[in-house]
Amino acid sequence: MNFALLAEYGPALGQGLLNTIFLSVVTLAIATPIGAAIALIRETRIPWIAIPAAIYVNIFRLLPALLVLFFSFYALPQFGLRLSPMTAAVLGLSIVGAAYMSEDIRGGLAAVDQGQYRAAKALGLSYPHIIRRIIIPQAIPLIIPPYVTRAIIMVKATSLASLVAVGDLTGEAVRATSITYEPFMFLIMAGALYLLLSGALALFQMWAEERVARARRPRTSLTVKAAQV
Amino acid sequence: MTRKTLMKVVLAAALALPFAAASAQAQDITAFQEALGQPKPFSNIPKPWPLKKLVTPGKLTVGTTGSSPPRTFVDPSSGQLTGSYVELFKKIGADLGLEVEFVRLEWAGILPGLAANRFDLACDGASWTAERLGSSQFLMTSPTAVNATVAITRKDTGIKTFDAAKGKALGGVRGEIYFEGAKKALPTAKPTEFPGLPESLIGLQNGQVDLVALNLANALNVLASAPNKADLVLVGPALEVFAQGLCVNPNQPDLLVAVNTLLGNYRTDGTLKNLIGKYATSTAEVDLLGRIGY
């Protein structure tokens, strides 16, 4: 390990890490509500909104994310829309991420027993009420594992932003490698930092699952007896 | 002889001595040249060269990007890897009695590949820097070309020199020493790091940057062959001048000696100049190696 080089390029790697965190947080913050909205829209089965949502999902799910990023940064200026590298990356990654995320969320919603819908409807509850009070609480435990996995994939996908001129963690590691010709040190550093970021999300998943499981755990016999009294 | 005359004689002799010495040196050089005869390659080399640590015995494994014309690129008509440095690698392999096997990969994988013992030889002319010359991950050969940091801009920017580019949007390839040098020389410029030269040139065309820093050989190639070459112009004079060479597997010092010997021969017999001239409009990068002492 060459500590002199590490000291020289450490600040640039740190800035790259901050850019990666910013890109991850903003992309997830945009993609999550859009993905949830698309999933709910598709679950309504109302053709005039569900079909366009399905078309959106399938177009962006089937296109390579890199192609979308290249289009947003290199092609849009040809149409008069000149985005900064970071804005283009956020736009491209959010569009693609929302398409994937909607499928993860829709899977969770669809996994809730259809009898729950029918029973709630028979009780006269409105669709928003059914979704909010009956379906979503049961779907969340099912959604958490695929959602966090998707979030981890999206964090790693931010490395594509280096190809549209964003100085993210991958970009700065590649830059340092190209200048110093030290092929391992900076890539290993970047890998370790990605592990930390993704690891934090994996820990969040464990915490969230544990919390949901605790909330759904049957009350103890003592509690039940106390309730009966 | 008067004292004054004696002084004049001594002074004249003192003044004439250096000229006499220079004249004697010139005579020696001339005699040496006559004895050597015409420039010719050094032929007393091992045949075959005993290379002990080739990645695959009997083969010269070469890592190349295939994306840096005119040195290494894929011929669109044939789909074959070609270029001046591809031919140079083939020539080196042939003269060492080895079959040449090319492995195409991104630049980011070239040096890790060398360090991981996946190739014997790589780099389509990598510029010398203190860090690279001192690297333990690979060995650099003697120079194959001289290159320099220049830039390309659109004619409509009106930029002709680097002084006029202060505060402008500067583009370049991430990690390239030409871009890094330009960023240092223009601290007020707003830099945008592109992943490759084609992307940098699209950024220039889109107006996302005002100029793109790159090496002189690539700049001349772009100005000669880019689809929008009529809109482009060179920015100079050069910020820095570099020697460029090939990279050798760090476990193979015997290959470094062999390649350096052959490169010296190719300079002498004109092979290097001919290979460059076959693919580029100018052979100046070889002709001007004398400017940096080679």
Side-chain angles (χ1 to χ4, degrees), chain A residues 137-138 140-142 144 206-217:
Chain A
Q138 295 183 75
I140 281 178
L142 304 170
I144 286 174
M206 286 167 63
W207 172 82
E209 284 179 346
E210 172 63 28
R211 192 177 161 86
V212 168
R214 205 185 308 148
R216 290 163 60 88
R217 200 171 291 151

CSV table of all heavy atoms in Angstrom, one decimal, chain A residues 137-138 140-142 144 206-217:
chain,number,residue,atom,x,y,z
A,137,PRO,N,-50.2,-2.4,4.7
A,137,PRO,CA,-49.5,-3.0,5.9
A,137,PRO,C,-49.2,-4.4,5.7
A,137,PRO,O,-48.2,-4.9,6.3
A,137,PRO,CB,-50.6,-2.8,6.9
A,137,PRO,CG,-51.5,-1.7,6.4
A,137,PRO,CD,-51.5,-1.8,5.0
A,138,GLN,N,-49.9,-5.2,4.9
A,138,GLN,CA,-49.6,-6.6,4.7
A,138,GLN,C,-48.5,-6.7,3.7
A,138,GLN,O,-47.7,-7.7,3.7
A,138,GLN,CB,-50.8,-7.4,4.3
A,138,GLN,CG,-51.9,-7.4,5.4
A,138,GLN,CD,-53.1,-8.3,4.9
A,138,GLN,OE1,-53.0,-9.5,4.9
A,138,GLN,NE2,-54.2,-7.6,4.6
A,140,ILE,N,-46.0,-4.6,3.0
A,140,ILE,CA,-44.6,-4.0,3.4
A,140,ILE,C,-43.6,-5.1,3.8
A,140,ILE,O,-42.5,-5.1,3.2
A,140,ILE,CB,-44.8,-3.0,4.5
A,140,ILE,CG1,-45.2,-1.7,3.8
A,140,ILE,CG2,-43.4,-2.8,5.2
A,140,ILE,CD1,-45.4,-0.5,4.8
A,141,PRO,N,-44.0,-6.1,4.6
A,141,PRO,CA,-43.0,-7.1,4.9
A,141,PRO,C,-42.5,-7.9,3.7
A,141,PRO,O,-41.4,-8.4,3.6
A,141,PRO,CB,-43.7,-8.1,5.9
A,141,PRO,CG,-44.8,-7.2,6.4
A,141,PRO,CD,-45.2,-6.3,5.4
A,142,LEU,N,-43.5,-8.0,2.7
A,142,LEU,CA,-43.1,-8.7,1.5
A,142,LEU,C,-42.2,-7.9,0.6
A,142,LEU,O,-41.4,-8.4,-0.2
A,142,LEU,CB,-44.4,-9.1,0.7
A,142,LEU,CG,-45.4,-10.0,1.5
A,142,LEU,CD1,-46.7,-10.1,0.8
A,142,LEU,CD2,-44.8,-11.4,1.8
A,144,ILE,N,-40.1,-5.4,1.6
A,144,ILE,CA,-38.8,-5.0,2.1
A,144,ILE,C,-37.6,-5.7,1.5
A,144,ILE,O,-36.7,-5.0,1.0
A,144,ILE,CB,-38.8,-5.1,3.7
A,144,ILE,CG1,-39.6,-4.0,4.3
A,144,ILE,CG2,-37.3,-5.0,4.2
A,144,ILE,CD1,-39.8,-4.1,5.8
A,206,MET,N,-32.0,-5.8,7.5
A,206,MET,CA,-32.1,-6.7,8.7
A,206,MET,C,-32.9,-6.1,9.8
A,206,MET,O,-33.8,-6.7,10.4
A,206,MET,CB,-30.7,-7.1,9.2
A,206,MET,CG,-30.0,-8.1,8.3
A,206,MET,SD,-28.3,-8.3,8.7
A,206,MET,CE,-28.4,-8.9,10.4
A,207,TRP,N,-32.6,-4.8,10.0
A,207,TRP,CA,-33.3,-4.0,11.1
A,207,TRP,C,-34.8,-3.9,10.7
A,207,TRP,O,-35.7,-4.1,11.6
A,207,TRP,CB,-32.7,-2.6,11.2
A,207,TRP,CG,-33.4,-1.7,12.1
A,207,TRP,CD1,-33.3,-1.6,13.5
A,207,TRP,CD2,-34.3,-0.7,11.7
A,207,TRP,NE1,-34.1,-0.7,13.9
A,207,TRP,CE2,-34.8,-0.1,12.9
A,207,TRP,CE3,-34.9,-0.3,10.5
A,207,TRP,CZ2,-35.7,1.0,12.9
A,207,TRP,CZ3,-35.8,0.8,10.5
A,207,TRP,CH2,-36.2,1.4,11.7
A,208,ALA,N,-35.1,-3.6,9.5
A,208,ALA,CA,-36.5,-3.3,9.1
A,208,ALA,C,-37.3,-4.6,9.2
A,208,ALA,O,-38.4,-4.7,9.7
A,208,ALA,CB,-36.5,-2.8,7.7
A,209,GLU,N,-36.7,-5.7,8.7
A,209,GLU,CA,-37.4,-7.0,8.8
A,209,GLU,C,-37.6,-7.4,10.2
A,209,GLU,O,-38.7,-7.9,10.6
A,209,GLU,CB,-36.6,-8.1,8.1
A,209,GLU,CG,-36.7,-8.0,6.6
A,209,GLU,CD,-35.8,-9.0,5.8
A,209,GLU,OE1,-35.0,-9.7,6.4
A,209,GLU,OE2,-36.0,-9.2,4.6
A,210,GLU,N,-36.6,-7.2,11.1
A,210,GLU,CA,-36.8,-7.6,12.5
A,210,GLU,C,-37.9,-6.7,13.1
A,210,GLU,O,-38.7,-7.2,13.9
A,210,GLU,CB,-35.4,-7.3,13.2
A,210,GLU,CG,-35.5,-7.4,14.7
A,210,GLU,CD,-35.8,-8.8,15.2
A,210,GLU,OE1,-35.5,-9.8,14.4
A,210,GLU,OE2,-36.4,-9.0,16.3
A,211,ARG,N,-37.9,-5.4,12.8
A,211,ARG,CA,-38.9,-4.5,13.3
A,211,ARG,C,-40.3,-4.9,12.9
A,211,ARG,O,-41.3,-5.0,13.7
A,211,ARG,CB,-38.6,-3.1,12.9
A,211,ARG,CG,-39.4,-2.0,13.6
A,211,ARG,CD,-38.9,-0.7,13.1
A,211,ARG,NE,-39.9,0.3,13.5
A,211,ARG,CZ,-39.9,0.9,14.6
A,211,ARG,NH1,-39.1,0.7,15.6
A,211,ARG,NH2,-40.9,1.8,14.9
A,212,VAL,N,-40.5,-5.3,11.6
A,212,VAL,CA,-41.8,-5.7,11.1
A,212,VAL,C,-42.2,-7.0,11.7
A,212,VAL,O,-43.3,-7.2,12.1
A,212,VAL,CB,-41.7,-5.8,9.6
A,212,VAL,CG1,-43.0,-6.5,9.0
A,212,VAL,CG2,-41.6,-4.4,8.9
A,213,ALA,N,-41.2,-7.9,11.9
A,213,ALA,CA,-41.6,-9.2,12.5
A,213,ALA,C,-42.0,-9.0,13.9
A,213,ALA,O,-43.0,-9.7,14.4
A,213,ALA,CB,-40.3,-10.1,12.4
A,214,ARG,N,-41.3,-8.1,14.6
A,214,ARG,CA,-41.7,-7.9,16.0
A,214,ARG,C,-43.1,-7.3,16.1
A,214,ARG,O,-43.9,-7.7,17.0
A,214,ARG,CB,-40.7,-6.9,16.7
A,214,ARG,CG,-40.6,-7.1,18.2
A,214,ARG,CD,-39.7,-6.0,18.8
A,214,ARG,NE,-38.4,-6.0,18.2
A,214,ARG,CZ,-37.7,-4.8,18.1
A,214,ARG,NH1,-38.2,-3.7,18.6
A,214,ARG,NH2,-36.6,-4.8,17.5
A,215,ALA,N,-43.4,-6.4,15.2
A,215,ALA,CA,-44.8,-5.8,15.2
A,215,ALA,C,-45.9,-6.8,14.9
A,215,ALA,O,-47.0,-6.7,15.4
A,215,ALA,CB,-44.8,-4.7,14.2
A,216,ARG,N,-45.5,-7.8,14.1
A,216,ARG,CA,-46.5,-8.8,13.7
A,216,ARG,C,-46.5,-10.0,14.6
A,216,ARG,O,-47.4,-10.9,14.4
A,216,ARG,CB,-46.2,-9.3,12.2
A,216,ARG,CG,-46.5,-8.2,11.2
A,216,ARG,CD,-45.8,-8.5,9.9
A,216,ARG,NE,-46.3,-9.8,9.3
A,216,ARG,CZ,-47.3,-9.9,8.5
A,216,ARG,NH1,-48.0,-8.8,8.2
A,216,ARG,NH2,-47.7,-11.1,8.1
A,217,ARG,N,-45.6,-10.1,15.5
A,217,ARG,CA,-45.4,-11.3,16.4
A,217,ARG,C,-46.7,-11.4,17.2
A,217,ARG,O,-47.2,-10.4,17.8
A,217,ARG,CB,-44.2,-11.1,17.3
A,217,ARG,CG,-43.7,-12.4,17.9
A,217,ARG,CD,-42.4,-12.2,18.5
A,217,ARG,NE,-41.3,-11.9,17.6
A,217,ARG,CZ,-40.3,-11.2,17.9
A,217,ARG,NH1,-40.1,-10.6,19.1
A,217,ARG,NH2,-39.4,-11.0,17.0
